[in-house]
Amino acid sequence: MKLSKGVLFGILLAASPALSQTKSDVFMKDIPVTWLGLDFTSAKLIGDRERLGSESDVRRLLDAWNDLILAEQDKFDVAKAIGRAKVDNVIDVTKEHNTELDVMGMFSDNERDYLHIKVSDVEEIIAGYDFKDLSGIGLMFNVESFNKINVEGSVWVTFINLGTKEVLFTERLVAPPSGMGMRNYWAGCLYDVISKIRKKEFEMWRKKHYRP
């Protein structure tokens, strides 16, 4: 039986989920999203160098920030922020990637390093990832800076087509830190970013990116 081009394309599209992910899919509640965790590829830790400690201390912090979001999911509710009942959690992707980074190169005392990442930089970061056999939509936070001088952190919220490594869209959010101790201090910034997404930003992104 000979199939029309339209029918054939539809079959191929259904058989290849990687081809079908769009910006609009991010806002469809029935389409799963995989939480990938916190990426520090181009992060700058500005000021407070002594309290951040040694290389091993910083590496432990990178893991601790990632682990905390999973350990306290009721508080750091990524799923609710993006209109999902739940998300799949595969943070090993970013944790493994972060182990290869030069964490000592993250230190800075230059306030101009606060907002230094462009969309093209995020796309380059994502292109360098190994998403293994993951498919569908992924959500990653690309930390731009934790700035003790300005008392503010900057994070790029990035939605990804995991099958093609295409950045569906990425948006920068800034938020102040809060809490006691180095881990909790900047975890407060991450909590505020998630809260902003839930309260306002996700709906703003829907208006900007969704096409029915």
Side-chain angles (χ1 to χ4, degrees):
M1 180 175 66
K2 187 175 180 179
L3 298 176
S4 70
K5 289 183 179 180
V7 172
L8 182 59
F9 179 76
I11 292 172
L12 291 172
L13 192 63
S16 304
L19 298 177
S20 62
Q21 306 302 329
T22 68
K23 293 179 182 180
S24 294
D25 290 334
V26 171
F27 306 100
M28 305 295 288
K29 293 183 179 181
D30 58 336
I31 294 182
V33 172
T34 299
W35 167 243
L36 302 168
L38 309 171
D39 162 77
F40 288 86
T41 301
S42 294
K44 289 296 182 182
L45 306 175
I46 304 171
D48 223 12
R49 180 166 183 166
E50 290 185 2
R51 290 191 63 207
L52 284 163
S54 65
E55 177 179 350
S56 59
D57 292 329
V58 175
R59 292 194 183 280
R60 281 194 292 270
L61 276 172
L62 303 192
D63 276 346
W65 285 317
N66 255 313
D67 292 338
L68 182 63
I69 291 177
L70 287 196
E72 299 186 14
Q73 291 183 61
D74 289 343
K75 178 178 180 180
F76 298 88
D77 198 337
V78 174
K80 188 175 182 179
I82 60 170
R84 284 355 188 240
K86 68 178 185 68
V87 291
D88 298 320
N89 296 300
V90 189
I91 66 170
D92 286 349
V93 166
T94 47
K95 290 182 71 174
E96 290 176 11
H97 186 89
N98 290 337
T99 63
E100 303 298 322
L101 303 178
D102 173 18
V103 297
M104 301 306 286
M106 296 179 186
F107 289 124
S108 174
D109 291 315
N110 189 343
E111 292 183 50
R112 288 180 295 181
D113 284 337
Y114 173 42
L115 304 179
H116 65 279
I117 293 178
K118 305 181 296 295
V119 171
S120 59
D121 298 321
V122 177
E123 292 171 341
E124 185 175 347
I125 291 169
I126 300 306
Y129 258 84
D130 178 7
F131 293 119
K132 306 183 188 302
D133 58 351
L134 294 176
S135 61
I137 295 175
L139 170 59
M140 180 186 293
F141 283 5
N142 302 98
V143 177
E144 181 171 24
S145 63
F146 287 160
N147 186 349
K148 183 62 184 297
I149 298 172
N150 289 344
V151 195
E152 196 164 51
S154 175
V155 175
W156 287 82
V157 181
T158 307
F159 290 91
I160 307 155
N161 180 336
L162 293 170
T164 63
K165 297 188 182 181
E166 175 193 1
V167 173
L168 297 175
F169 69 87
T170 184
E171 300 280 353
R172 174 195 277 139
L173 291 179
V174 299
S178 60
M180 300 295 292
M182 189 59 69
R183 185 200 69 166
N184 292 340
Y185 185 69
W186 288 111
C189 167
L190 300 170
Y191 171 78
D192 201 39
V193 165
I194 294 170
S195 296
K196 285 185 174 184
I197 297 170
R198 175 176 56 82
K199 293 176 180 178
K200 179 181 178 182
E201 300 300 330
F202 196 65
E203 185 56 34
M204 295 291 289
W205 298 339
R206 184 195 306 276
K207 293 176 181 177
K208 180 177 179 180
H209 296 294
Y210 180 72
R211 300 293 180 270

